[in-house]
Each structure stands twice: as C-alpha cells, then as structure tokens.
Amino acid sequence: MKKGTTAVVVGAQWGDEGKGKIVDVLSEKFSVVARYAGGHNAGHTVIIDGKRFVLQLVPSGVLRPGCQSVIGNGVVLDPIAFLNEVSSLRAAGVGIDGNLFVSNRAHVILPYHRMIELAAENAPGRVKIGTTSRGIGPSYEDKMGRRGLRVCDLFDLELLRKHIENACREKNMIAHALFNSEPLDPDKMYAEYAEASRKLAPFVSDTAAFLNRALGEGRSIMFEGAQGTMLDIDHGTYPFVTSSSATSGGAVIGTGVAPTSIDSVIAVTKAYCTRVGEGPFPTELFGAQADEIRARGNEFGAVTGRPRRCGWLDLPLLRYSGMINGTCWLVVTKLDVLDSLGEIPVCVGYRIEGKPTEEIPAEAGQWDKIECVYRTMPGWQSSTQGIIELKKLPQRAREYLAFVEHETGARIGMISTGPGREETILTDEFAGELQSSGDRKSCAQARH
C-alpha cells in the first residue's frame, strides 16, 4: 500500500520556540497539518508578507492554500475560542471552510473549567504553576477522570443539558467551598454552547479515519505539537508543566495514527532559551542582558503578552529532549537575536552538589541545585537577519551552529533569521529529505 511521508514538529525547550512559523514554512511540502495536543493556551505567530497571524487552536497549515488542517482528539477544544478564531481567519481572507477538520473525540473546555483553574491558581498557599487560566488543565482532569464532554456529545442536546447541569452543580459547590467563587448559570451556559455546537458541526468528523485514509492515499502529513518538551506532563519539569503530551509520542495518541506511521521528528529550538511562568530554568539571565535579549527577540507571549524569562542555550536540556523525542533534525530559530553579542555563553553540562551529571533531574528540588558549566563562544557581531543561504552566514555564526549540532547529535536542517516566512535557511540535506517519499532510514541517517 502506498504511504505518505510524515513528520512530527515539536518544541525542544519550554515552548515558544517559533514552531508556528516553522510549520507554516514546512507546510508547503505537506498536504495535511494535524495538531495533536494542548488547547488555546498555545499561541503560534506567523508573519506572511508583513501581515501578522496569531493562531491559538487552528494549525498553522491553514494559512497555506491547498493544505488541509486537523485538530486532533488529543486537543482540548474551547468551542467559543475556536469559532472566534475561525471568524478572524475568515475576515482575513483565509480559506477555512472545507480545509479544517475537528476531531469528534476531542474533549471540550467549558466555563467551569476556567473558573476552577483561575480560582486554584490564585488560592492562598497553592504552588503557582503560571498557567494561562484558560481551563486547559481542569479539562484534561475531567477527561482522565472519565467525566469529560467530547465534541461529539455537543450535538446530543439532551445529553449536553444534563451534563452541564450536573457539572455546574458539582463545580459550583467545589469552587464556592474552596475558593468562594461566584456560581455559574447552567441555563445560560447550555444556551451558549447549544448555539456553538450548531456552528461547530460543519468542521467535525472522525479525524483519525481521515488521517489514516490520507496516509493510505500517499499524502504527506505533518503533526504539530504545542508547548515544548520540558512542559510535557510526563517528561517535563513537573509540576511546572502543561497537562498534555507535548513530546513526539503525543502525535500518535493525539491523532489516532499508528507509531509505525511516523517517519521523522523535527525539533525546534531557539538559539538561546526562554520560559514563561514558574519553574526551573538553569541558564536564566537577569538584569540588563536579559532585558536586551527579551527586547531584541520580542519575547512576550503571543496569547497572554506575558514577558518571557530569557537565558543562554542549554545543551544538556537539548540532548535530553533529543533522546525523549527521537529528534532527527533540529531547527534553530531567532539566530539574529544574538547578532550584537561579542561573546555567547552556552551551557554544556550540569553539576549537582559539585558532581557532574548526565541525567536531567526528576525531583523539582534537584533543579534548584544545578550549577551550569559554560563554554563561551565568540559572537559574530554582524547582522544575520533575512539571510537565506547557509554560506552567507558569518563564519562565527556557522561555527556556533556546528557546535550545537555536534553536541546534540542531531543535524540542523533549518535556521530562522527573522520572523517572516521568507527569512529562513534550509540546508541541502534537509531540503532533499523533504522531497523524498517516506524513506524509513532518513531519521537514523540524520542523527550522528
């Protein structure tokens, strides 16, 4: 049976690596882009011909004519947020209808999920995770507790009303008892979501069946993650993580394709590091240098506007990320942000209580004990913005990239030198793989 090429695009750090732009650039080579995890807490910014698009739920592939987009079963869907995003994209002239599909098995975010999360995040004595308070975590909690509402359930209005009445009764009691929150009105909620279900219906289908048919027809599929590896619920810096599987393995669970269908994994990393919210960050910078990188990189959340914490590139973290994801290719973004620096420190190893360690700590307390071992690389101090050929990068910029490639064991396939779609370098080897048709050996060959 003929089979299409597949690739998973993941964040190699703590999210915000620029996956939206990368998926947009790569979508020219794929006929389907499928989002497999997270919710509308993930903001992807794409700039096309100077026009800025901020996508929260809809995969970046929707901006590419001829590319179909899928929101998989692993995503938690806020129907109101989805419809608002669709409306904005239609107003911008993006061809949505007939090109965007939502899984009938995706779980739904309802207003009581936001109420619970916001109240819990602000409760005295609770460990602050730094969530967006958009109901993502509580929706996944209900999913795992087998009390969630799925997209397919929205169309059974009797079931929808009963579910909302029962959930509001329970959630209002919990929120009032624990956080003294005001109760939600189930009648108002039912009316709003019954109307939303009508507008949502044309997008809903069995997307697992759609994706597997597409593979059988020889079509190519790119799987798009949300957040980053170090925010993965199992493999990240727990408890300062998201509520879903952000790593490459989540692509299988979150869309319904078989593990044997995945050909390669493309991990996106910044040329430095950032993190939003609370939690460990070994290479974090403070003061004027952090402010400079934040300003040059426009490091503010696409969805929330929150300033991102900034730090140097962390190679132990990238090696761990490569191991967990099975990274074949690295994409390095925001290289141009480092253009002005005379010296660029890079974390090459960790010590904990004076002892070198090759492993990433599991215990939250151990992260606080990490001492970073740095190697200082010479800066190039010339502009790389907009360069689209590898050979035209400054020699020291190429040496910086070669060092990252050597230390991580994954080939660098793309370099982003600016926010625009065209400000991108593709290496010859990577471009060649994108032209291939599902060569199973390509991933192993890409790794050192």
Side-chain angles (χ1 to χ4, degrees), residues 24 55 82 107 180 215 226 273 278 281 288 310 352 363 385 394:
D24 171 64
L55 303 170
F82 171 80
H107 276 249
N180 200 30
L215 286 175
C273 249
E278 307 298 322
F281 190 172
C310 297
I352 297 179
E363 306 94 322
Q385 185 163 6

Side-chain angles (χ1 to χ4, degrees), residues 115-129 133 174-175 177-181:
M115 174 184 70
I116 292 288
E117 185 169 35
L118 183 63
E121 185 73 357
N122 292 306
R126 295 288 291 266
V127 175
K128 291 187 77 67
I129 304 299
S133 298
I174 292 171
L178 295 180
F179 313 118
N180 200 30
S181 298

Side-chain angles (χ1 to χ4, degrees), residues 125-406:
R126 295 288 291 266
V127 175
K128 291 187 77 67
I129 304 299
T131 73
T132 57
S133 298
R134 300 196 169 203
I136 312 298
S139 179
Y140 277 116
E141 287 181 42
D142 278 357
K143 174 180 177 176
M144 293 305 177
R146 294 165 294 181
R147 54 182 178 270
L149 186 80
R150 298 186 300 169
V151 167
C152 59
D153 300 324
L154 288 170
F155 309 117
D156 183 337
L157 295 184
E158 184 178 345
L159 184 152
L160 177 63
R161 181 184 287 279
K162 184 177 180 181
H163 181 95
I164 287 176
E165 287 174 350
N166 290 339
C168 280
R169 188 180 305 113
E170 175 189 323
K171 308 294 185 184
N172 282 339
M173 288 175 61
I174 292 171
H176 180 73
L178 295 180
F179 313 118
N180 200 30
S181 298
E182 290 298 315
L184 295 171
D185 181 348
D187 293 331
K188 180 181 177 182
M189 192 184 304
Y190 168 75
E192 183 178 18
Y193 283 81
E195 174 63 16
S197 71
R198 182 182 64 79
K199 296 177 181 177
L200 182 65
F203 298 98
V204 177
S205 66
D206 185 336
T207 55
F210 170 81
L211 291 170
N212 280 285
R213 278 197 304 270
L215 286 175
E217 293 165 1
R219 300 176 67 194
S220 55
I221 300 176
M222 178 165 45
F223 300 94
E224 174 185 1
Q227 288 89 33
T229 299
M230 301 310 295
L231 293 177
D232 183 89
I233 185 67
D234 288 297
H235 303 291
T237 50
Y238 192 90
F240 303 98
V241 293
T242 191
S243 303
S244 58
S245 298
T247 48
S248 59
V252 171
I253 298 168
T255 61
V257 301
T260 49
S261 296
I262 305 300
D263 293 323
S264 65
V265 177
I266 301 165
V268 186
T269 174
K270 284 176 181 167
Y272 49 99
C273 249
T274 65
R275 175 164 199 166
V276 172
E278 307 298 322
F281 190 172
T283 65
E284 185 170 10
L285 281 167
F286 300 93
Q289 202 157 36
D291 292 340
E292 180 185 352
I293 290 175
R294 186 177 299 111
R296 284 183 58 84
N298 190 29
E299 295 297 353
F300 300 90
V303 173
T304 64
R306 291 187 294 179
R308 297 179 186 134
R309 299 155 65 190
C310 297
W312 301 122
L313 189 64
D314 189 330
L315 293 177
L317 183 148
L318 282 184
R319 287 192 284 267
Y320 173 77
S321 174
M323 175 185 73
I324 294 297
N325 289 306
T327 300
C328 312
W329 295 95
L330 272 180
V331 175
V332 179
T333 62
K334 296 201 172 183
L335 183 69
D336 55 299
V337 174
L338 304 181
D339 284 351
S340 65
L341 301 179
E343 293 183 334
I344 306 171
V346 179
C347 176
V348 295
Y350 291 160
R351 291 194 187 103
I352 297 179
E353 296 180 337
K355 297 179 181 179
T357 178
E358 295 293 326
E359 295 185 1
I360 297 294
E363 306 94 322
Q366 289 294 96
W367 282 91
D368 297 332
K369 300 176 182 179
I370 286 177
E371 175 192 353
C372 292
V373 179
Y374 286 99
R375 172 171 170 174
T376 300
M377 302 289 290
W380 42 94
Q381 294 187 293
S382 60
S383 177
T384 62
Q385 185 163 6
I387 292 176
I388 60 172
E389 293 181 53
L390 186 62
K391 64 183 179 182
K392 291 186 177 180
L393 286 176
Q395 175 65 25
R396 286 180 172 174
R398 281 181 277 145
E399 289 171 358
Y400 183 82
L401 294 169
F403 179 69
V404 172
E405 189 174 67
H406 178 267

